[in-house]
Amino acid sequence: MQKIATFIITLLFTSILHAQQTQAPIQKEKWHWNDPNKQDTSAGYTQAVKSGNVLYISGTVALSVNEEGVKRVYTALERTLKQYGLNFSHVVKENLYTTDIEAMKQYNYVRKQFYKGDYPAATWVQIARLYMHEARLEVELIAHFPEK
């Protein structure tokens, strides 16, 4: 009985391994601030990745949570969206991380101007610090391309 179970497990494992090896790699179109490598190899990320009809935009940071800092973040995100012919109306999800949620609430009106009343699903989280020690705000987006 144990030999049969071992044989079945081995067969399943081999089938799974074969299926993983024969799958085509995911197509990814990358963009990273006009960098010819299209990614930051020192930190190990890219600013945006298009896969299928979805655009994933990495966190974009500001050093302060004030009117200027919030505007700077959303202007940079807008630039990334434009690289793919999109705008904030295509954004379906926003994740916002800040070291000062109360300040972000105060300057939310700046953020809202970019969405023009068409807001995405959003999650805002206050955290102790970000990857860049001096950063105080980081926003990442997921946008969808219109169906053709």
Side-chain angles (χ1 to χ4, degrees):
M1 191 68 155
Q2 187 175 2
K3 286 183 179 182
I4 293 173
T6 303
F7 174 75
I8 291 172
I9 290 171
T10 303
L11 184 62
L12 286 172
F13 179 73
T14 304
S15 297
I16 291 169
L17 185 60
H18 177 71
Q20 289 175 343
Q21 291 173 344
T22 59
Q23 291 177 349
I26 295 172
Q27 295 297 312
K28 298 178 192 177
E29 180 184 327
K30 297 179 181 183
W31 180 81
H32 188 79
W33 305 116
N34 300 324
D35 184 318
N37 295 321
K38 300 187 187 266
Q39 57 190 2
D40 178 331
T41 56
S42 62
Y45 84 103
T46 187
Q47 177 59 20
V49 176
K50 178 184 181 217
S51 181
N53 71 334
V54 181
L55 181 64
Y56 301 90
I57 301 176
S58 292
T60 302
V61 300
L63 303 182
S64 56
V65 185
N66 57 23
E67 184 173 359
E68 182 183 329
V70 174
K71 185 174 183 178
R72 182 175 289 127
V73 165
Y74 284 91
T75 299
L77 291 166
E78 183 175 53
R79 177 179 171 206
T80 304
L81 288 164
K82 283 181 179 179
Q83 292 298 314
Y84 291 89
L86 301 178
N87 59 50
F88 280 93
S89 72
H90 298 100
V91 175
V92 296
K93 180 68 170 116
E94 172 190 87
N95 292 322
L96 183 148
Y97 308 94
T98 181
T99 58
D100 188 347
I101 199 81
E102 294 307 317
M104 187 56 217
K105 287 173 165 179
Q106 180 182 350
Y107 296 105
N108 188 26
Y109 71 91
V110 177
R111 169 191 168 269
K112 286 177 163 183
Q113 292 170 2
F114 286 87
Y115 285 108
K116 298 180 173 120
D118 183 20
Y119 307 117
T123 301
W124 289 19
V125 180
Q126 180 167 309
I127 47 127
R129 68 161 284 199
L130 294 160
Y131 181 82
M132 285 179 54
H133 182 67
E134 63 277 9
R136 300 293 174 253
L137 174 64
E138 184 166 349
V139 179
E140 62 184 17
L141 302 176
I142 299 173
H144 277 252
F145 289 83
E147 292 186 24
K148 294 179 182 181

